[in-house]
Amino acid sequence: MPDTFATHVLDVATGTRETVVDLTDDCAAFLTAVAPGRSGLLNVFVPHATAGVAVLETGSGSDDDLLAALHQLLPSDDRWQHRHGTPGHGRDHVLPALVAPHATLPVVSGRLALGTWQSVCLVDTNIDNVNRQVRLSFLGGGGEA
């Protein structure tokens, strides 16, 4: 019987701008390597206090809309008590309360069971950290149940 658990860390360069990075292809490649034909769960986790994981449509403006909405909800000004780093950086530490640092997704027969327009994305509003890690973990068994 194949291993029931596998994990891998992605290194993602997010740069010095707020960004939404599509990780869907990276997730698919990981599953191809560790879970061909198997079903289970993929956990996507960002071990950072200022980033999150979202499942949303990309490429049609939704990623920019998400960043704009976060800017309205969490303005980058001097209202935040957490004050190290770039002015307004305290908002980045509140982000994971709104965009969780993890997502658990179904895997069926070795493939993510996402909706037609859904993508798995890293959301990073912290312009002080230009590199991020994302841990992908597969937990599963045999083929489709």
Side-chain angles (χ1 to χ4, degrees):
M1 175 164 173
D3 292 336
T4 59
F5 180 78
T7 190
H8 175 70
V9 175
L10 300 173
D11 291 310
V12 181
T14 55
T16 58
R17 295 180 48 182
E18 297 178 5
T19 190
V20 175
V21 179
D22 190 337
L23 302 173
T24 310
D25 289 343
D26 296 300
C27 293
F30 170 69
L31 292 171
T32 296
V34 303
R38 296 169 56 206
S39 296
L41 297 172
L42 174 68
N43 183 264
V44 182
F45 176 71
V46 181
H48 300 284
T50 58
V53 176
V55 177
L56 72 152
E57 180 178 4
T58 60
S60 64
S62 297
D63 35 354
D64 291 331
D65 289 341
L66 173 60
L67 292 174
L70 289 171
H71 235 288
Q72 284 192 317
L73 290 169
L74 304 171
S76 54
D77 57 23
D78 64 356
R79 73 183 70 205
W80 308 101
Q81 293 181 40
H82 189 107
R83 294 188 184 265
H84 76 82
T86 303
H89 173 64
R91 80 184 203 107
D92 300 324
H93 287 273
V94 177
L95 173 74
L98 300 175
V99 180
H102 60 87
T104 301
L105 307 164
V107 176
V108 177
S109 298
R111 298 181 62 185
L112 278 173
L114 295 173
T116 302
W117 303 111
Q118 290 180 314
S119 296
V120 181
C121 299
L122 168 66
V123 179
D124 189 3
T125 60
N126 182 355
I127 62 174
D128 293 335
N129 291 346
V130 299
N131 296 301
R132 297 299 187 156
Q133 290 189 329
V134 179
R135 178 169 296 279
L136 306 178
S137 299
F138 173 75
L139 178 63
E144 187 171 356

